[in-house]
Every structure is written in C-alpha cells, then in structure tokens.
Amino acid sequence: MVERIFGLRGILCAGVVLALSAAMVEGEALVQTQAMKASTIAEIFIDEAGVRVELEIGEADLPAFRNVLPADLATGLGIEQEGTAATRLERFFGEDFAIGGLLIGQVEAEALPGRVVKVEGRDRTVRDEITGEPLPIAAGEEAEAVVFVELEYLFGSEKPETLQISGPGGEGGGPTGAPSIGFVAYHEGLPVNDFRYLAGRAILFLDWQDPWYSKFRNPNLQRTFSAPIQAFLYIDHYEVRKEIVVRPVDLEAWVDLGIGGGEVIPAEDQAAILEAVGAFLGAHCPVVIDGEPVAMELDRVHFVERSLKGTTVVEGQGDLPTVSATIGAIFVASIDGLPQEVTMEWELFSDRVEMVEAVATDEAGGMPSRLIPPQPELEWTNHLKNPKLPTFAEVPPPPAGGRVAIPVASLWCLFLFVIVARAVWVQGMGVSLLTKLTAIFAFIGIFSLWNFARISVPNPIRSEVRVTEEVETEIVSGLLRNTYRAFDYRSEDVIYDTLERSVSGELLTDVYLDIQRALELQGQGGARAKVNAVEVETVVGEPVDGGPAFDADCVWTVTGSVGHWGHIHERRNRYEGRVRVEPINEQWKITTLELTDEERL
C-alpha cells in the first residue's frame, strides 16, 4: 500500500471519473452492529427514480471496495484486483454493495442495475458526533483524505415496496474483518434512520404515499423522532403545561389546514396554519387538575425542527417540506401550589395515528406512556416525597437608626396645610371655599402619603451604624436569590411585584429586562429557563457615607433549566458586578446594579 494512502492525495485529487454499467445480482447478508462513527460513511438517497449512494471510503476499508476502484488508483495503493473492469463492477454491484427491490407479491428481491457516477479523492466530511450532521473544518486542522464514490441504482417501471441493502464483507477495517460502514438512508429527503452501522442485509419498507412512515425492519435502524405525534405534560408549583408536537399533514385527518398534496408549505401560508393548529389543539385533549377541568391558554405555537441535540424553532426559513414539517404547540394553566393529580385525555387517533407517545414530567423526571384508544389518558400522580418548594431567602433587617426615611410627600402636605391653616386663622370664616378644600386635602395627604415618595438619609444621631462583612454577604446573597426567584411566576405584574421586594423602583425595569434576556433560550421561540439555583461566590463590600448602605463587588452563578418539547434545556451563567444596597422603608434593597462581566458556562 502506498505510504499512508493519503500520501496518495495527488493521485486521488487528479479526479478519476467513471460512468460504467453493471450487472444485476443479489446481495450478501452480514452481521449488524450499532455505532456512530465509522471508517466508511454511506449516505443513501431514495426517490421515485431510484437510489443514489455517496460513499466516503477510509484507508482501512479500501481493500473491501477494490472492485469499484479504478485500476490505476488500486495499483498506486498496492491493492490487488482480479478480472476485467466490467467483471469487477459486476461483482461490486452484485456482492459488494448490492441493492435489491421487492414488489408486492414477490418472494425474492430483484437486484437493481447500478452504475458508478464518480470516483475521486476528497477531504473527509467532519460530522457532529451526536447527530452526524456535517460540520466545518476547524481552523488549523487538516481533514483526513478519503476516496469518494457516487453510485446510482435505477428503478424499473414500478417503484419497489421494499429495498434490501447489503454492504461488502471480507477484508476491511471492522472488528470482524468486514469494512466499518456507518450509514443513513433518506426517503424523499427525509432521514429514515439515525447514523448506524451497515453490517448486514438491511431491509427497508418504503411508504411512497407518506415517506415519514418508511422504516427498516430492524427496530434499531430508525430515527429518534419517528412518531408523527407526541404529547407532554409538565407539572410544577406554579403551572401545568400541555405540549403537543405534531405534523400538520397528520392533523388533516381531523381539520382542513389547506395543505393538500403539495410538496411544500409556502412561507406565506405558515402563519394561518399555525393559528389554525393552535385553535384546534386548544379545543381538544382536555386537562383535569385535581378533579377539576382547567382552561389551558395557548402560550406559543411554532414550526419546529427536531434533532438528537434538541428541538429548535423554525423562523424565516421560507417554504417547508410538507412531509417533514412539524409544529410544536404549548398550552399553560397557572396554579398555586403543587397539584396531586393531573390527567390529559387524548382524543386524536386515526388509521395512521394508532398510538401516541406521551410523557408526564415533574422535578423527579419524566414518566413515559403510550396512549392508545382503549387507554387514552396521560396521568400524573404526585409521588414526590420531598418536593423542592420555591421559597424566598430570609434577608436580615437593616440596623435600627442607621438611616431615616423622610416622607417627602407628607412633609409637603404638612407645609401646605400650615400655610393654609394660618390664612384661615387670620381671615376667619371669610376665606374662599377653595382655600378650605385645600386645607382639608392637605391634612388628609399628611397621613395618606406617609409611605410614598420617601427618601433615605443618614440618621444624624446614629450615622456611623453599619453591618459586618458576614451580614453584607448574607444580605446580598438573599437579595440576589429573591430577585431571580421572582421569575418563577408567569404574570408580568406578579414578577414586578415580587421584584420590588428586593430591587428599588427605578431599577425594576432594567433588572426585569436583563434577567429575562439572560434566561431566554435561543431558538426556542421565547421559552424561558426556570432558575434552579443562585450561588453567590464572593461579596466584597464597602460602606457608603459611613452609614449602613454599602457597595459590593459580587460574583455569582445562576443555573436554570426548562423541560420543553421532550428535552431538558439547561442554562448556566456566571456574573460579576457591583451593587449598591440601601435600607428603604426598613428593608434592604438593591438600588444600583452594574454588570462588569457575563459568561455562559
């Protein structure tokens, strides 16, 4: 073999392109295993005309593919070949990489005629280790060289109902001597399976009416998100969520969405379809909490894209393929406290949708179910022995006498009342009605405005009062934890009211917007992580004006997560900042907050 095949880069990149015919034969059976990465990658594309195969053959597997290699390339690699080019290709399509088609009523598959479209040297496609999706080559890294082969297999006058796909055996780099081939098959552009090893005869049943339902006979060869409909319940102390992920083409069994038999859903029709789907799903599959039916409010509805790494919202991507277009709808009911029982009754079954995958999730994790017509209820019962109750941290009160809250509004009313009262005293009953009313309203304002428009100033009698470093840490930690705890609630009014316990009025809006931005999950259509923990690492304080108020340089970490469309999304951020803490109305509050660093961990 040539010194490191990919010392052969010059030979390969010269580009040997072939277009030869091949004979029809049957394939061999091999042993199947499960893996993600392989020396050779095969992508198999099936459409109405036939099958196209793209191979990236690694160095270790080249001997197993000797029959498809051009003679000069095989010679340069030190690989022996037998027979003429025509007989080698006949063996390749009949024994090495055979694809047979089977029509209804046939017992044995008929081998599809194949031809070599292209053979050339290329850089190996770098793929994500979880999904297998192509990735760009990292800067400074050199890609491995492979032999790229493109094959074409043509159907006859009828499209087969079943395909039998076989890979080569014999000499290769796999654990049993066979080549190590990772593969994925696509039917009409839709992946039938996640990346798996091709190590035997893979039998694929083709659904030409709806490729979503095409599947391999081996249950290990399927894609993760193969169910046309999934339903989820999420239960916590403040809300119950019903989430449904569904293909709109399947919903047309119950509601006309105007999709028809089109190959794509046009961008201009998508908003109307989302609205119709949200309204339809909102009227079906009712939820009962502790024996009482509840009205679920539509929170969000989006077209979504699902992969092994998660589910993301599809926005601004133009027309969508009808066969794979998927919608996620989220409905919410606000509650006060953890319920004991929650039930959702599934109402949507059809000839295609005979079973629905469902999961009920609480803080202990998800409990999967399969909903079928005889048992259509997704049930959740509270078995949590020690649920994590969301509570507010206790913040020590400000020291007595350190500062004085001056009721500015009440003092102005008192000043006005004194002036008007003096006028009444001097002029007697001859004063005007307006003057009398002014006196009355000023007197009322002295008391009714006592707790409004107050300013905090140092107590001239005890202006040196301040808290210790340990108490400063306790105060800042409690205020920060309580600030984030406000975002457990859904209502903006409730969040603001809760924030006001820890943050001064002028800072409320800025804090609300900054935290909401930090917790929002990218690509999730506005979904917000729920804060699980706030860890304050350091607090270094210094007094302000010698009183109890203080500035503090702080470092803290916020951890949040949200169960969403069957996935757990996590968010962890680390912050550095400077806060000013002052006693206001006998409570500590953050009055200024300046972030100096923000890092997503």
Side-chain angles (χ1 to χ4, degrees):
M1 185 176 289
V2 180
E3 185 179 322
R4 220 175 121 29
I5 177 173
F6 306 152
L8 251 191
R9 189 177 294 273
I11 297 177
L12 295 178
C13 292
V16 183
V17 180
L18 303 178
L20 304 175
S21 300
M24 299 182 297
V25 285
E26 296 180 278
E28 292 183 40
L30 300 174
V31 178
Q32 187 169 19
T33 58
Q34 183 179 4
M36 180 46 162
K37 283 197 169 182
S39 174
T40 296
I41 293 296
E43 292 190 275
I44 303 170
F45 304 89
I46 304 159
D47 58 26
E48 293 190 355
V51 180
R52 182 168 58 86
V53 178
E54 293 183 357
L55 294 170
E56 288 184 346
I57 307 172
E59 177 183 6
D61 292 339
L62 283 169
F65 289 88
R66 67 181 76 235
N67 289 322
V68 80
L69 298 179
D72 55 350
L73 176 57
T75 301
L77 292 170
I79 298 175
E80 295 183 1
Q81 293 179 312
E82 297 179 358
T84 66
T87 58
R88 290 197 302 271
L89 286 175
E90 182 177 347
R91 284 197 299 271
F92 177 79
F93 286 105
E95 301 174 9
D96 295 345
F97 209 96
I99 299 180
L102 190 68
L103 298 172
I104 294 178
Q106 288 183 319
V107 177
E108 294 186 1
E110 295 184 1
L112 299 177
R115 73 183 187 97
V116 180
V117 177
K118 182 183 295 185
V119 178
E120 65 182 14
R122 280 190 184 180
D123 289 338
R124 179 183 292 281
T125 301
V126 179
R127 298 183 181 276
D128 185 277
E129 294 185 356
I130 297 176
T131 66
E133 296 173 351
L135 298 174
I137 298 175
E141 291 189 9
E142 183 177 351
E144 176 189 354
V146 296
V147 175
F148 175 82
V149 178
E150 183 178 348
L151 310 171
E152 186 177 73
Y153 303 74
L154 297 178
F155 295 148
S157 58
E158 296 184 72
K159 299 187 295 290
E161 302 294 329
T162 303
L163 288 181
Q164 296 182 359
I165 305 169
S166 301
E171 183 182 359
T176 61
S180 171
I181 304 176
F183 88 105
V184 61
Y186 301 87
H187 186 196
E188 299 284 11
L190 184 71
V192 180
N193 62 300
D194 298 328
F195 264 94
R196 292 291 183 267
Y197 272 118
L198 177 63
R201 179 180 296 172
I203 298 177
L204 173 59
F205 302 106
L206 299 172
D207 190 321
W208 290 102
Q209 180 182 355
D210 189 345
W212 181 276
Y213 294 95
S214 296
K215 61 182 178 181
F216 283 96
R217 184 172 67 181
N218 186 336
N220 291 323
L221 297 179
Q222 64 177 357
R223 66 181 181 276
T224 300
F225 300 108
S226 58
I229 299 180
Q230 289 183 297
F232 306 94
L233 280 178
Y234 293 92
I235 296 95
D236 68 16
H237 293 82
Y238 295 107
E239 68 179 23
V240 170
R241 293 201 314 278
K242 174 180 76 173
E243 301 189 356
I244 298 173
V245 180
V246 59
R247 289 197 314 157
V249 70
D250 285 303
L251 274 186
E252 288 220 311
W254 300 279
V255 57
D256 183 9
L257 299 174
I259 295 174
E263 294 184 358
V264 299
I265 299 177
E268 59 269 22
D269 295 343
Q270 293 169 17
I273 290 174
L274 291 175
E275 183 178 357
V277 169
F280 176 78
L281 294 178
H284 291 79
C285 306
V287 173
V288 175
I289 301 177
D290 290 336
E292 295 292 331
V294 296
M296 305 290 287
E297 177 184 353
L298 177 63
D299 185 52
R300 294 187 299 279
V301 58
H302 302 282
F303 281 97
V304 298
E305 182 176 343
R306 314 192 82 186
S307 74
L308 293 175
K309 284 191 169 182
T311 301
T312 56
V313 170
V314 175
E315 292 180 325
Q317 295 189 16
D319 300 345
L320 297 174
T322 301
V323 68
S324 60
T326 305
I327 290 177
I330 302 175
F331 301 85
V332 177
S334 297
I335 57 176
D336 186 13
L338 198 64
Q340 296 304 307
E341 291 183 346
V342 180
T343 301
M344 179 180 67
E345 181 179 358
W346 190 260
E347 301 173 332
L348 307 176
F349 294 99
S350 67
D351 293 340
R352 286 285 195 180
V353 183
E354 299 176 344
M355 183 272 295
V356 172
E357 295 180 356
V359 182
T361 301
D362 56 26
E363 65 183 52
M367 293 163 283
S369 300
R370 291 190 171 185
L371 310 181
I372 56 178
Q375 296 176 317
E377 294 87 10
L378 175 59
E379 300 177 343
W380 174 87
T381 302
N382 186 359
H383 294 301
L384 298 171
K385 294 183 178 179
N386 297 298
K388 298 177 181 178
L389 298 174
T391 57
F392 288 91
E394 291 291 335
V395 179
R403 294 181 71 85
V404 177
I406 306 298
V408 178
S410 291
L411 291 179
W412 274 108
C413 289
L414 177 61
F415 177 72
L416 180 60
F417 176 76
V418 170
I419 293 176
V420 176
R422 183 176 181 280
V424 172
W425 177 267
V426 172
Q427 300 180 27
M429 298 305 295
V431 297
S432 66
L433 177 60
L434 177 60
T435 303
K436 295 176 182 178
L437 291 175
T438 301
I440 294 172
F441 284 115
F443 184 78
I444 295 173
I446 294 172
F447 302 97
S448 61
L449 299 178
W450 186 261
N451 291 318
F452 295 91
R454 299 164 69 96
I455 60 172
S456 177
V457 298
N459 187 332
I461 301 176
R462 299 184 59 185
S463 60
E464 298 300 320
V465 175
R466 67 162 301 193
V467 296
T468 64
E469 293 182 2
E470 292 78 7
V471 175
E472 285 178 347
T473 300
E474 187 177 358
I475 293 169
V476 173
S477 298
L479 290 176
L480 287 175
R481 290 190 179 100
N482 291 346
T483 296
Y484 286 97
R485 184 60 60 204
F487 288 83
D488 285 344
Y489 302 100
R490 295 191 58 82
S491 168
E492 184 175 292
D493 292 340
V494 177
I495 294 175
Y496 266 98
D497 290 343
T498 308
L499 277 177
E500 198 172 16
R501 298 171 56 172
S502 306
V503 180
S504 70
E506 296 180 358
L507 193 61
L508 273 177
T509 300
D510 290 343
V511 169
Y512 173 82
L513 294 176
D514 286 344
I515 295 180
Q516 181 173 253
R517 174 189 55 80
L519 296 179
E520 191 169 288
L521 299 170
Q522 292 183 355
Q524 295 302 316
R528 192 179 67 216
K530 179 180 178 181
V531 175
N532 297 326
V534 179
E535 301 174 7
V536 180
E537 300 175 14
T538 60
V539 175
V540 179
E542 60 182 49
V544 175
D545 298 330
F550 60 92
D551 290 331
D553 294 314
C554 315
V555 178
W556 70 97
T557 302
V558 181
T559 303
S561 65
V562 60
H564 195 39
W565 288 324
H567 286 272
I568 300 297
H569 303 275
E570 295 188 347
R571 170 68 53 82
R572 190 161 184 259
N573 289 354
R574 184 175 183 270
Y575 300 94
E576 294 183 20
R578 186 174 181 85
V579 300
R580 172 164 293 186
V581 179
E582 299 184 60
I584 298 177
N585 295 338
E586 301 180 355
Q587 285 183 311
W588 290 112
K589 291 191 178 184
I590 298 173
T591 57
T592 62
L593 171 59
E594 179 184 356
L595 288 180
T596 56
D597 188 40
E598 178 179 356
E599 178 185 6
R600 183 166 296 177
L601 304 179

